[in-house]
Amino acid sequence: SDRFTPHDAFSQFPVAGYFQQSNSMPRKFIVGGNWKCNPATLKDAQKLLAAWKETPFDAGKIEVVICPTALHISTVKPDLEALGMAVCSQNVSATGMGAFTGEWNAEHLKDMAIEWTLIGHSERRTKYGETDEITAAKLEICQKAGIKVMFCIGELLEERETGKTDEVNQRQLAAVLSKITNWDDIVIAYEPVWAIGTGKVATPDQAQETHASIREYLKTAVSAEVAEKVRIQYGGSVTPENCAELLAKQDIDGFLVGGASLKPTFMDIITACQGA
């Protein structure tokens, strides 16, 4: 494999003492499949999983985490796990047990043996009013409960066009950094909002530039060790056709896939990552 190690990822930054470890391992690819408010029926979900079964993959080489709807998650969990995939909630409460109608919290996820949740997806931020403060509260609760998080960040089109991409990403990360005590339970998903579900994709160079900037920020804000080891996914209209070119970039550690994760060909993305 020509996969770069994290050290290679920092070769463009000639900073003395940049690395704290000399024997770090390459980051393991991670692909998330976010089903959002799909599919229409449980039967459709089960049909999809049956199609996926035709393309096995090596879970030792790539981590795959699927986010079904809250209603489907417990039913499809055994079938997903039989495929070597983990299950992930699409959301989690910023509160605990109690009078919080419509919510479920990190302790519920733990009790149901659901190891992962998304936090901060742009659709939660833009359509449901989730603020940086709310994402921080959710992440803090998940850290205490031992729930792993795919933490989503990313800029709007007007923010990209006005050169504010790094500013937005850093603001969204800064809100939660003080809440993170175990970085092994954190994956960052960079999703330019203008590319989600639009068919538009950040060019591989744009994605790499932004991922490298995220690492550089984490190096300064947290530590070189964290910046080196944390996995950063790209999300935004990822397909089997465009994933290979993105994978070739040294700071892209996998994908958070939306619509393409509702198709049998989602496994082509897994296969591409496995061979990268």
Side-chain angles (χ1 to χ4, degrees), residues 154-165:
E155 81 282 7
L156 301 171
L157 180 59
E158 54 266 34
E159 293 167 336
R160 161 68 68 169
E161 291 177 339
T162 54
K164 294 182 178 179
T165 296

Side-chain angles (χ1 to χ4, degrees), residues 56 108 111 154 159 179 201 208-209 215 221 226 231 255-256 275:
H108 288 127
D111 180 62
E159 293 167 336
K179 311 299 183 185
V201 185
Q208 165 60 23
E209 180 182 22
R215 287 198 201 284
V226 164
R231 294 178 291 177
F255 303 112
L256 182 56

